[in-house]
Amino acid sequence: MKFVSIIIGSKSDYDVMKSCADTLETFGVQYELIISSAHRSPERTKEYILEAEAKGAQVFIAAAGMAAHLAGVLASKTVKPIIGVPMSASALSGIDALLSTVQMPAGMPVATVAIGKAGAINSAYLAMQIMALESEDLRIKLQEDRVAKAKKVEMDSLEIETKL
């Protein structure tokens, strides 16, 4: 079974990352979602990565705030693609998490998306694009979604357009 693994650093990240899970569900992509912390439960995190890989995880999505080392820990334990979602969990509004997630040493890549909900949704899309390299059905669904988004822009414009 091929699926996306979503790991969130704390329960407070769930409301935002639910958007990621919902997006995957919309496309019929299976996923697991767990809470595990790079700092508070490092052994659980390491064990889960091995377990998820053995079950068929194709892409890992890691959401964390503040020091946000979760994505980096995942990158150190697997060669599967890692997508980091910085969360706004501090007085710095997620900038600290963004920098922690994006600043990885050479050879340990983490694809980093936007802070918060937009990043959560884009992490799902990026994971699906990676999986679509081997799934024609998923590739077609993603292409149809792009067409639908373009049509929505046109329809929205028609509602308010003023032209000379």
Side-chain angles (χ1 to χ4, degrees):
M1 162 181 60
K2 294 180 180 181
F3 66 95
V4 175
S5 172
I6 305 167
I7 305 171
I8 61 177
S10 70
K11 191 174 180 182
S12 62
D13 301 330
Y14 178 74
D15 287 341
V16 171
M17 291 307 293
K18 176 101 171 68
S19 300
C20 173
D22 291 345
T23 302
L24 293 170
E25 284 180 17
T26 298
F27 286 84
V29 174
Q30 293 187 316
Y31 67 90
E32 288 186 345
L33 188 149
I34 71 160
I35 299 170
S36 196
S37 170
H39 301 112
R40 295 182 305 268
S41 59
E43 290 305 314
R44 171 183 166 79
T45 303
K46 287 187 267 185
E47 289 169 12
Y48 174 74
I49 296 164
L50 296 174
E51 175 188 309
E53 273 192 316
K55 289 192 302 188
Q58 296 296 295
V59 181
F60 289 87
I61 296 173
M66 300 176 78
H69 293 132
L70 185 57
V73 168
L74 296 179
S76 76
K77 299 296 178 189
T78 182
V79 295
K80 299 282 185 178
I82 308 296
I83 303 167
V85 183
M87 303 300 290
S88 181
S90 73
L92 297 176
S93 302
I95 298 297
D96 49 347
L98 174 64
L99 294 175
S100 293
T101 305
V102 79
Q103 293 293 340
M104 292 296 298
M108 302 300 283
V110 170
T112 307
V113 293
I115 298 167
K117 186 174 179 178
I121 293 168
N122 280 340
S123 71
Y125 273 95
L126 182 54
M128 290 186 294
Q129 288 174 329
I130 292 166
M131 293 176 78
L133 293 170
E134 295 181 358
S135 171
E136 181 70 11
D137 289 343
L138 186 53
R139 186 187 63 74
I140 290 168
K141 286 179 184 178
L142 288 167
Q143 286 178 322
E144 290 170 349
D145 181 66
R146 289 279 174 99
V147 170
K149 283 179 173 27
K151 284 187 188 295
K152 182 172 182 340
V153 169
E154 291 175 28
M155 297 306 292
D156 288 349
S157 182
L158 287 174
E159 290 179 18
I160 65 168
E161 274 181 19
T162 305
K163 291 184 177 179
L164 296 177

